[in-house]
Amino acid sequence: MAEGLPKPSEDPKLSVAIPIVTEMAKSPIKDSAPNPSWFTPKRLLMIFCVINMLNYVDRGAIASNGVNGSLGTCTDSGICTSGSGIQGDFNLNNFEDGVLSSAFMVGLLVASPIFASLAKSHNPFRLIGVGLSVWTFATAGCGSSFDFWSIAICRMLVGVGEASFISLAAPFIDDNAPVAKKTAWLAMFYMCIPTGIALGYVYGGYVGGHFNWRYAFWGEALLMLPFAVLGFVMKPLQLKGFAPAGSKKAFTSVETAAPETEDSEASNVKGCMLVRNEGISNQASNKACRLKGAFKLLNLSGFLKDLRLLLLDKVYVVNVLGYISYNFVLGAYSYWGPKAGYNIYHMSNADMMFGGITIVCGILGTLAGGFILDCMGATISNAFKLLSGATFLGAIFCFSAFCLGNLYGFIALFSVGELLVFATQAPVNYVCLHCVKPSLRALSMAMSTVSIHIFGDVPSSPLFGVLQDHVKNWRESTLILTSVLFLAAGIWFVGVFLNSEDRFNEDGENRDSISKKANMKPLLDENSDEMPDTSAEP
């Protein structure tokens, strides 16, 4: 018997718990060397990049002319032409058409915190599989829809499916990336956003123009289906800060066998196993366990407690506030940029011009931001320095571009500005992942996504429209909008002076040392020499 544990005869209060403690002590050792998953770090990154790209291909496809289409028109002479795409088939007005383009946001904003909370009690990798399955069926439903409400509901479910991936993919990448390339790997992941949207325009235009808009959604569903299946059939990975697969019983025993204090009664020990040993019938015990499991699943108090921890974290709040200001500008740019370019510089191909600049600068800038932070040394303080510096310089170039009257001068300066502005994508998400303890990373990413959409790009487009209606000058309106980037740079500059602590190696669940070692071993076998040695106590 382990030293320090009383014999049953000496302390009858703990006699029931001793077998459980003995089993608990054995289980982590057994689980400490799990069989390696098929998902090596590079395979994981590649698959997650493809999934992320498919998410944004869907957003680009529904906005493309081939899928979105147009209403039918009639001339004064009575000659009418039929409409095309979703808008033409369902005879949608512009408001209803606009609702479809953003309906996925409802599901995304509602489900992101839910999936992040469920990750604490359910395997996060399996949750991604659930989310991708919902996404697959929802996109197939979009292709099979028959009126406005049916496709609107399916678009909301697309957001629900995407929510699990958005909340949990980045923490998985951060766990498995080599130490010296963490930010670069995040950059590769977020580079798929502009690339996916651009491919979506092309894909939707081609499929919708040559076949039918419904085939575009059915094709997306078929492309995503293998990844949804993969989330269920392959050995699941685990997120840092959560119990490994197969160790749930051991960690349950840790919680159930340990009394709250040394003088606690054995009857106060939590857990269904002890209740059975007190003589209660198995049927009643199983019912109690089910009720406890249901309460745990709907643990609102735990979610609110975690949310409070995020809101009290100054580093996290400053980072997200800067991200909101930044996304406010980019959201309005993406919607109003081509129209502003046409009215200011009389561009004949404004859509192609702004689209091309955004794609090229989005890819190069996002990758460059990740590699630069890794070269600087991936710390929260350095991330804030890069965020504030790149955004400030990018704001200067973009502001100067709209001041010029020459089209080619505008293109040159605006391209440099966009390149600098997109360099923030990897550092801002690095801060979200590393300023909180491991068990809060999923919720951190979820709430960051919710915040930048609710307060950033969703309201920015209509507010810019109101501003333009009042000012009636496109150049002046875009200069006012661009100046918000200086605000974002200033907010992130404040983060440089905050007392920031990288909490990547912190065990957020406060388990005992044996369980901690089992939990914090490298998740994958490949390139284990490049992975951080987190098994040692700090």
Side-chain angles (χ1 to χ4, degrees), residues 111-376:
S112 290
I114 295 175
F115 276 111
S117 298
L118 288 175
K120 301 192 74 173
S121 56
H122 295 73
N123 186 283
F125 197 76
R126 295 299 191 223
L127 289 177
I128 290 180
V130 171
L132 295 182
S133 300
V134 174
W135 193 97
T136 301
F137 285 109
T139 50
C142 290
S144 305
S145 55
F146 49 86
D147 61 7
F148 167 74
W149 285 108
S150 63
I151 193 171
I153 292 173
C154 288
R155 295 307 300 169
M156 294 180 190
L157 290 176
V158 167
V160 172
E162 186 178 333
S164 68
F165 184 75
I166 293 297
S167 303
L168 300 170
F172 271 117
I173 293 174
D174 192 55
D175 276 354
N176 294 285
V179 177
K181 299 179 180 178
K182 282 184 177 291
T183 322
W185 280 38
L186 287 174
M188 294 179 194
F189 177 72
Y190 287 105
M191 175 199 71
C192 298
I193 294 177
T195 307
I197 292 176
L199 288 176
Y201 289 142
V202 176
Y203 167 77
Y206 180 82
V207 175
H210 290 77
F211 303 99
N212 186 282
W213 63 268
R214 298 180 184 273
Y215 287 94
F217 292 115
W218 291 335
E220 291 172 11
L222 288 175
L223 290 172
M224 186 66 82
L225 182 60
F227 299 105
V229 174
L230 205 63
F232 291 102
V233 301
M234 300 304 297
K235 177 181 173 65
L237 300 178
Q238 295 294 327
L239 278 179
K240 184 180 181 68
F242 298 95
S247 297
K248 188 172 182 180
K249 182 177 180 180
F251 287 135
T252 303
S253 301
V254 172
E255 296 174 357
T256 58
E260 293 179 3
T261 65
E262 292 182 358
D263 297 328
S264 296
E265 296 291 335
S267 59
N268 290 333
V269 178
K270 300 176 183 178
C272 302
M273 188 180 297
L274 295 183
V275 173
R276 291 192 186 98
N277 289 335
E278 292 294 331
I280 299 178
S281 67
N282 286 339
Q283 182 178 1
S285 174
N286 291 335
K287 183 177 181 181
C289 293
R290 287 194 297 271
L291 291 174
K292 181 181 289 186
F295 178 77
K296 186 176 182 181
L297 180 64
L298 302 174
N299 190 3
L300 180 61
S301 62
F303 168 75
L304 294 177
K305 179 181 177 182
D306 290 342
L307 183 60
R308 180 174 178 272
L309 290 176
L310 286 181
L311 295 177
L312 292 177
D313 190 324
K314 295 179 181 179
V315 175
Y316 180 78
V317 171
V318 167
N319 186 54
V320 173
L321 286 176
Y323 203 9
I324 290 172
S325 304
Y326 163 91
N327 220 53
F328 185 92
V329 178
L330 262 65
Y333 272 177
S334 64
Y335 189 81
W336 292 104
K339 186 171 289 187
Y342 175 80
N343 284 277
I344 297 173
Y345 298 102
H346 307 291
M347 298 179 184
S348 58
N349 55 346
D351 289 339
M352 187 69 68
M353 185 71 68
F354 271 83
I357 292 174
T358 301
I359 293 168
V360 174
C361 294
I363 294 174
L364 296 179
T366 304
L367 290 176
F371 282 108
I372 290 172
L373 182 57
D374 283 332
C375 292
M376 292 173 61

Side-chain angles (χ1 to χ4, degrees), residues 418-463:
E418 288 253 286
L419 192 70
L420 289 164
V421 167
F422 275 109
T424 61
Q425 286 292 326
V428 71
N429 287 286
Y430 177 89
V431 175
C432 282
L433 290 169
H434 284 252
C435 72
V436 298
K437 62 185 181 181
S439 60
L440 287 179
R441 287 183 304 166
L443 184 62
S444 170
M445 296 302 298
M447 296 311 300
S448 172
T449 302
V450 168
S451 300
I452 64 173
H453 289 312
I454 289 181
F455 303 109
D457 55 6
V458 169
S460 66
S461 293
L463 287 177

Side-chain angles (χ1 to χ4, degrees), residues 71 87 90-99 148:
L71 283 171
Q87 191 174 20
F90 296 152
N91 195 30
L92 306 180
N93 57 40
N94 287 331
F95 173 77
E96 292 172 327
D97 190 36
V99 168
F148 167 74

Side-chain angles (χ1 to χ4, degrees), residues 6-24:
K7 295 180 180 180
S9 59
E10 295 177 349
D11 192 348
K13 295 178 180 180
L14 297 178
S15 59
V16 178
I18 288 174
I20 304 173
V21 176
T22 304
E23 182 181 356
M24 172 272 300

